[in-house]
Amino acid sequence: MTGTPIGDDIVAGLEASPKWLPSKYFYDGRGSALFERITRLPEYYLTRAETAILESNAESVVARCRPEELVELGSGSSRKTRLLLEAMHRSGAGSRYVALDVSDDALRAAEEALLADYAWLEFAGVVGDFHTDLAAIPRRGPRLVAFLGSTIGNLDPAERATFFPQVRDALQRGDAFLLGLDLVKDVGVLEEAYDDAAGITAEFNRNILAVLNRELDADFPIDAFDHVAVFDKVSSWIEMRLRATRDMVVTLPPLDLRVTLLAGEEIRTEISCKFTREQIEAELVSAGLGVEGWMTDGEQRFAIALAMPVGP
Ligand SMILES: C[S@@+](CC[C@H](N)C(=O)[O-])C[C@H]1O[C@@H](n2cnc3c(N)ncnc32)[C@H](O)[C@@H]1O
C-alpha cells in the first residue's frame, strides 16, 4: 500500500448517505493480485479487448508521437504496457518508462518482471495518486501518457473535469495521451463482468474492508457483506457495492469514527463508467485535447483514444 496517509476521504465517505469508499483503497498487495486474476476471468472481456487493440495499434501510436518516455497512470502489473514499450524499443524511440501507481506492491512486481525481460529499459516507479501527482513527474522530452485498463471509468464526471486538464497540462505539443475506455453495451454483459461466477470480483470488493481493518485497526466483519454489482443506466456506470447482511457498529479508532450500518445498507466501493465516443471526445476537447485516433476491438466492446494537445 502507499505511504499516503489514509483518513479524511474515508471519514467523508462513511459519514455520507449513502455511504461510499474511495476505490484506490482496494489495491494493497492482495487487492492488486486479485485484480490481476479478474483480468483473466472469462466474464472480464475488458483486458482481452484492450490487449487486442494494443497488439494491432501500438506500432502506429508510437510512430505518431515518437515518445522519449512513456508515463503510465495506474500502471498495475504493466502487462499490456509491454506492447507499447516493445514498439518504442523497435522504433528506436526512447526507453524511459515512468509507472505511477498507488500500490507499491504492484510497482515492485512490475519493475522486477519488466527488468528481467528488458535490459534496455529505464524504469522509474512512482508511488502516488494520479489525481495529484502527475505534475511532479519531470518531463524528459516527447512523452506519451497512458491511462489504460478502463481506470478512467472509476472517475465520476466532476473528477474527470479536473483530471483531463491536469493531463493536458502535463503535455506539450506533439505529446500524446492514450486512454483506454470501456464502451456502453448490453447490461447483462456489463454486470457479469463485475460479478463473475468464480467470485473473484466479490473477493476483490471485500478486500477494501480488509485494508481498512489492517491500516486503520477497523473491525468490519468482512463475511457479513454481500458483493453487489449493478448498472445504473442514468449515470451509465456500473456500481460495485458491499451490502451489510446484518445490523452492525464498526469502529475505526485512529479516525475516532463509529459507523452504524443496518441490515441491507450498502457502501458504494467503485463506479466504472461506460462511454460513447461522442461523450468522451467532448470531455477531452473541452480540456484542450483533440482526439486524433480512435481504436476499437473487433466487437466494439472497448476503445482506446489517442488524444493530443490543441491550442498554444
Ligand atoms: C483497474 S486497475 C488497471 C491496472 C492496469 N492499468 C491495467 O490496465 O490492467 C487500476 C490501477 O490503478 C491504480 N490506482 C487506483 N487508484 C489510483 C490512484 N488514485 N492513483 C494512482 N493509482 C491508482 C490501482 O492500484 C491499479 O493498479
Side-chain angles (χ1 to χ4, degrees):
M1 200 67 195
T2 164
T4 315
I6 70 178
D8 287 358
D9 47 4
I10 289 174
V11 175
L14 291 179
E15 287 187 338
S17 179
K19 296 179 173 43
W20 57 273
L21 285 169
S23 54
K24 67 179 177 184
Y25 295 125
F26 282 125
Y27 297 97
D28 63 347
R30 180 165 179 269
S32 298
L34 283 168
F35 179 74
E36 275 307 295
R37 286 178 67 188
I38 289 171
T39 64
R40 294 183 166 90
L41 291 168
E43 296 92 338
Y44 199 80
Y45 59 86
L46 292 84
T47 307
R48 283 185 298 281
E50 193 178 37
T51 303
I53 298 170
L54 286 171
E55 280 167 354
S56 307
N57 295 283
E59 210 85 56
S60 59
V61 165
V62 165
R64 185 86 171 78
C65 55
R66 301 274 313 157
E68 282 290 315
E69 61 179 8
L70 171 62
V71 177
E72 184 172 14
L73 309 175
S75 48
S77 70
S78 304
R79 208 151 38 93
K80 278 168 293 176
T81 319
R82 287 170 173 251
L83 294 161
L84 291 167
L85 294 170
E86 286 173 10
M88 283 168 68
H89 185 58
R90 273 197 304 274
S91 75
S95 53
R96 175 170 147 89
Y97 173 45
V98 183
L100 183 146
D101 203 287
V102 76
S103 167
D104 56 4
D105 294 298
L107 282 171
R108 264 198 299 269
E111 176 176 17
E112 198 181 309
L114 288 172
L115 293 181
D117 291 337
Y118 304 143
W120 42 265
L121 188 70
E122 190 192 337
F123 180 95
V126 179
V127 181
D129 187 325
F130 51 61
H131 290 290
T132 49
D133 298 333
L134 173 57
I137 299 174
R139 187 174 184 282
R140 284 268 203 89
R143 94 183 341 181
L144 174 62
V145 173
F147 196 35
L148 302 175
S150 170
T151 309
I152 189 64
N154 301 149
L155 279 58
D156 67 24
E159 290 172 315
R160 296 197 300 273
T162 304
F163 175 75
F164 286 143
Q166 288 174 352
V167 173
R168 166 66 185 87
D169 288 347
L171 300 176
Q172 296 184 3
R173 255 190 184 291
D175 290 348
F177 178 43
L178 203 59
L179 179 63
L181 304 147
D182 197 17
L183 300 176
V184 173
K185 59 180 66 63
D186 177 74
V187 174
V189 174
L190 286 171
E191 289 187 344
E192 270 187 20
Y194 292 84
D195 193 7
D196 61 280
I200 310 299
T201 314
E203 231 182 291
F204 173 76
N205 196 5
R206 288 191 197 93
N207 187 58
I208 201 166
L209 301 181
V211 170
L212 299 196
N213 282 356
R214 187 187 64 239
E215 302 275 327
L216 292 171
D217 203 18
D219 53 1
F220 283 98
I222 296 171
D223 294 340
F225 285 88
D226 285 339
H227 168 68
V228 179
V230 283
F231 186 63
D232 175 338
K233 275 194 180 154
V234 175
S235 304
S236 191
W237 65 45
I238 285 277
E239 268 192 40
M240 288 211 313
R241 307 178 195 143
L242 289 166
R243 182 182 295 149
T245 55
R246 59 173 168 81
D247 295 354
M248 63 181 79
V249 176
V250 179
T251 57
L252 298 88
L255 303 180
D256 207 12
L257 190 63
R258 270 168 68 85
V259 182
T260 303
L261 284 138
L262 302 177
E265 193 173 346
E266 294 176 338
I267 305 174
R268 189 176 84 184
T269 51
E270 184 178 89
I271 59 165
S272 185
C273 298
K274 307 302 162 188
F275 298 97
T276 62
R277 179 175 182 168
E278 295 67 33
Q279 180 197 350
I280 205 71
E281 276 203 26
E283 291 186 20
L284 289 168
V285 165
S286 66
L289 291 161
V291 175
E292 302 280 329
W294 182 262
M295 301 154 266
T296 61
D297 63 306
E299 293 171 58
Q300 310 275 315
R301 293 166 298 179
F302 201 92
I304 296 182
L306 179 71
M308 297 179 98
V310 288

